């Protein structure tokens, strides 16, 4: 396939894999040490006024003495420097900072519009801190899929910058213009990759690899009509797997019985990913929109999909809970989402709602109602929602719902009858 315009030598690596080939604490400390070393190196440059290392985002943000700011996203750099001496990290950071300084920060819309690219990311840190917004660079984002958000980056020669709300003010544009331009810039890649698809004979898995994070091929499911084009060209309903934040897999012609095999593969790669994204399978709905694959209970893949959904939800809410408890909401409880496996192997999520306690409740398969007298019983979320008006709190992805007192005694008795 031909290269697309952008940073460095941009190309898409396509690996076609036979379906049958799929049959059959210390790390965090290393990342922290690596980030601290990069931070110390960045602070050592004469032109840098200030810098900070964000361990959760795994990036170093910096500000130049004269004007402008920038960011080094460390995932790829960390991967490339593993097992190498410090001199390799120093050399690569030197190259990145030199290119950044030479290229400068695009400060006009005309300079930046052709460099915008959409990216998918986990939504665990996306919430609105109403007390701390003024003067901050608030990242631009919008909901894309459950537990996933769409963000936009500026594709620089040797690094990327995430677009924020201060960028919009400086460029004189709104968020919709930025997202639209980022999608337009992916049109050439979308057309090129469609050429790889043809009606499968049997089951086929296509891996679109993006080892260096330079092609943005993993963002293609965001582009309107791309997956529908895959379905048209192949004559089969495609399944997309995006376990990590780089690249993706497209499964064609899989039978119901084969689906659990691919879901197991996606879950393993999700667990192994440097930056995990989702163990869920995605496909098209009746309107041609990309959605998580849903199957009825009793389907061969139902338990695997339920498990993937539970794992992703628990991971995402866990990170969100930690952030919220650390920086905000001291006057209301931030309820935890628990990931539970039943004796039959079925996985689900569960969260507590204690009577009389103002709480931000995560969306769960089950809610454990805890009464004033210590009674505890578990009710499915759908049954709770049918009897109680759950109010979404604005600005959260994944969503949170504000609750306080339990409903009336009459409704509580109905819920006890529905307890599981």
């Amino acid at each position: 396939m031909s290269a697309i315009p952008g940073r460095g030598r941009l190309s898409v690596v396509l690996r076609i894999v036979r379906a049958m080939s799929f049959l059959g604490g210390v790390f965090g400390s290393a990342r922290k040490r690596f980030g601290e070393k990069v931070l110390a190196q960045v602070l050592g440059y004469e032109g840098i006024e200030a810098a900070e290392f964000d361990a959760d985002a795994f990036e170093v943000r910096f500000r130049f003495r004269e004007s402008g700011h920038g960011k080094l996203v460390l995932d790829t750099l960390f991967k490339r420097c593993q097992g190498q001496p410090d001199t390799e990290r120093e050399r690569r950071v030197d190259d990145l900072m030199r290119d950044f300084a030479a290229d400068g920060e695009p400060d006009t819309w005309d300079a930046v519009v052709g460099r915008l690219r959409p990216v998918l990311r986990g939504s665990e840190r996306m919430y609105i801190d109403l007390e701390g917004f003024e003067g901050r660079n608030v990242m631009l984002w919008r909901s894309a899929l459950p537990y996933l958000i769409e963000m936009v980056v500026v594709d620089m020669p040797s690094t990327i910058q995430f677009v924020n709300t201060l960028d919009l003010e400086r460029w004189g544009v709104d968020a919709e213009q930025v997202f639209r331009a980022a999608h337009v810039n992916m049109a050439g890649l979308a057309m090129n990759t469609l050429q790889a698809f043809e009606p499968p004979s049997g089951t086929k898995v296509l891996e679109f690899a993006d080892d260096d994070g330079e092609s943005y091929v993993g963002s293609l499911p965001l582009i309107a009509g791309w997956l529908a084009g895959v379905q048209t060209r192949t004559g089969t309903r495609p399944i997309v797997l995006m376990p990590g934040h780089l690249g993706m897999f497209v499964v064609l012609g899989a039978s119901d019985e084969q689906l659990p095999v691919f879901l197991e593969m996606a879950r393993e790669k999700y667990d192994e990913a440097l930056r995990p994204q989702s163990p869920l399978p995605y496909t098209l709905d009746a309107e041609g929109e990309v959605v998580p694959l849903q199957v009825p209970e009793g389907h061969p893949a139902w338990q695997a999909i339920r498990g993937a959904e539970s794992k992703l939800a628990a991971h995402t809410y866990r990170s969100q809970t930690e952030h919220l408890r650390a920086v905000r909401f001291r006057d209301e409880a931030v309820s935890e989402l628990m990931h539970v496996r039943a004796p039959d192997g079925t996985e689900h999520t569960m969260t507590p709602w204690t009577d009389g306690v103002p709480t931000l409740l995560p969306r769960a398969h089950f809610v454990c109602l805890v009464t004033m007298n210590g009674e505890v019983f578990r009710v499915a979320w759908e049954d709770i929602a049918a009897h109680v008006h759950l109010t979404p709190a604005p600005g959260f992805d994944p969503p949170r719902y504000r609750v306080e007192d339990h409903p009336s005694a009459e409704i509580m008795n109905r819920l006890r009858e529905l307890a599981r």
Side-chain angles (χ1 to χ4, degrees):
M1 294 179 187
S2 60
I4 64 171
R7 181 172 79 249
R9 55 187 193 288
L10 296 184
S11 61
V12 179
V13 179
L14 171 61
R15 302 184 183 124
I16 300 178
V17 188
R18 293 184 183 276
M20 293 302 293
S21 67
F22 290 113
L23 298 173
V26 173
F27 181 65
S29 299
R31 285 165 64 89
K32 185 173 184 291
R33 289 195 299 270
F34 183 84
E36 289 170 346
K37 288 179 180 179
V38 173
L39 173 64
Q41 185 175 344
V42 170
L43 285 169
Y45 293 111
E46 184 177 352
I48 297 298
E49 181 179 40
E52 62 177 357
F53 169 52
D54 186 330
D56 292 323
F58 201 41
E59 61 193 23
V60 170
R61 297 185 285 269
F62 53 89
R63 184 170 67 250
F64 291 106
R65 291 187 186 279
E66 296 183 359
S67 65
H69 62 274
K71 179 190 301 182
L72 297 179
V73 181
L74 303 182
D75 283 313
T76 300
L77 187 66
F78 177 74
K79 182 169 64 174
R80 290 176 176 175
C81 292
Q82 280 186 297
Q84 302 295 319
D86 282 351
T87 53
E88 177 66 11
R89 183 254 309 154
E90 292 168 358
R91 180 187 69 80
R92 289 184 178 274
V93 172
D94 274 339
D95 290 343
L96 290 171
M97 294 300 291
R98 187 181 303 112
D99 288 345
F100 200 104
D103 189 76
E105 181 185 12
D107 56 2
T108 67
W109 177 244
D110 288 343
V112 77
V113 63
R115 298 182 178 187
L116 299 175
R117 302 288 187 273
V119 293
L120 273 169
R121 290 292 186 269
S123 62
E124 60 266 22
R125 299 189 67 203
M126 292 302 120
Y127 61 90
I128 294 180
D129 183 354
L130 298 176
E131 299 175 354
F133 250 17
E134 292 187 9
R136 290 179 55 192
N137 296 341
V138 181
M139 294 300 175
L140 181 67
W141 65 276
R142 65 184 181 185
S143 297
L145 291 160
Y147 310 110
L148 296 178
I149 58 170
E150 179 182 0
M151 305 178 78
V152 177
V153 299
V154 182
D155 186 60
M156 305 288 282
S158 299
T159 188
I160 61 173
Q161 290 178 250
F162 284 85
V163 175
N164 59 58
T165 52
L166 296 185
D167 291 327
L168 303 188
E169 295 177 15
R170 186 168 68 252
W171 299 333
V173 297
D174 60 27
E176 183 56 35
Q177 286 176 271
V178 172
F179 283 111
R180 185 166 58 247
H183 282 223
V184 168
N185 293 336
M186 293 286 289
L189 178 62
M191 292 300 295
N192 282 347
T193 54
L194 280 179
Q195 297 173 18
F197 293 98
E198 57 186 21
S201 54
T203 304
K204 182 182 290 184
V205 181
L206 284 74
E207 179 186 4
F208 289 85
D210 186 13
D211 296 333
D212 296 324
E214 295 183 342
S215 74
Y216 302 98
V217 70
S219 302
L220 285 175
L222 290 169
I223 307 305
W226 179 78
L227 195 58
V230 172
Q231 181 168 270
T232 298
R233 289 184 62 91
T234 62
T236 184
R237 189 185 189 194
I239 305 294
V240 177
L241 305 172
M242 303 177 287
H245 78 295
L246 299 176
M248 64 177 173
F249 299 86
V250 179
V251 182
L252 303 173
S255 67
D256 291 349
E257 290 70 28
Q258 287 175 319
L259 273 177
V261 176
F262 298 112
L263 296 179
E264 181 181 356
M265 179 271 290
R267 187 157 176 166
E268 289 175 357
K269 289 189 174 294
Y270 174 83
D271 290 338
E272 297 166 357
L274 191 63
R275 178 169 285 182
Q277 185 159 279
S278 173
L280 279 171
Y282 300 89
T283 190
L284 292 167
D285 65 12
E287 285 72 44
E289 298 294 325
V290 179
V291 294
L293 176 65
Q294 297 290 317
V295 296
E297 191 168 353
H299 187 283
W302 182 84
Q303 195 169 64
I305 291 176
R306 173 75 165 234
E309 179 186 69
S310 300
K311 187 177 185 69
L312 178 59
H315 168 80
T316 308
Y317 273 116
R318 184 183 306 114
S319 298
Q320 188 194 67
T321 299
E322 291 171 356
H323 284 291
L324 294 178
R325 287 178 176 175
V327 303
R328 193 181 163 206
F329 304 109
R330 294 177 178 84
D331 295 330
E332 54 189 338
V334 180
S335 191
E336 183 179 358
L337 187 76
M338 294 170 283
H339 182 190
V340 180
R341 186 188 295 270
D344 67 355
T346 302
E347 298 171 63
H348 58 263
T349 57
M350 191 163 54
T351 192
W353 175 8
T354 301
D355 190 19
V357 178
T359 302
L360 281 168
L361 207 65
R363 177 69 183 257
H365 291 122
F366 294 99
V367 177
C368 284
L369 294 160
V370 183
T371 69
M372 291 290 194
N373 62 12
E375 178 191 10
V376 180
F377 59 95
R378 190 184 76 170
V379 183
W381 182 275
E382 291 77 12
D383 292 331
I384 291 279
H387 291 85
V388 179
H389 178 65
L390 296 172
T391 305
F396 291 91
D397 196 324
R400 292 269 175 174
Y401 300 80
R402 278 198 167 89
V403 297
E404 189 168 350
D405 297 333
H406 283 174
S408 66
E410 180 184 357
I411 292 177
M412 286 292 286
N413 285 333
R414 292 181 196 166
L415 294 177
R416 286 186 181 90
E417 293 173 359
L418 296 169
R420 302 187 191 180

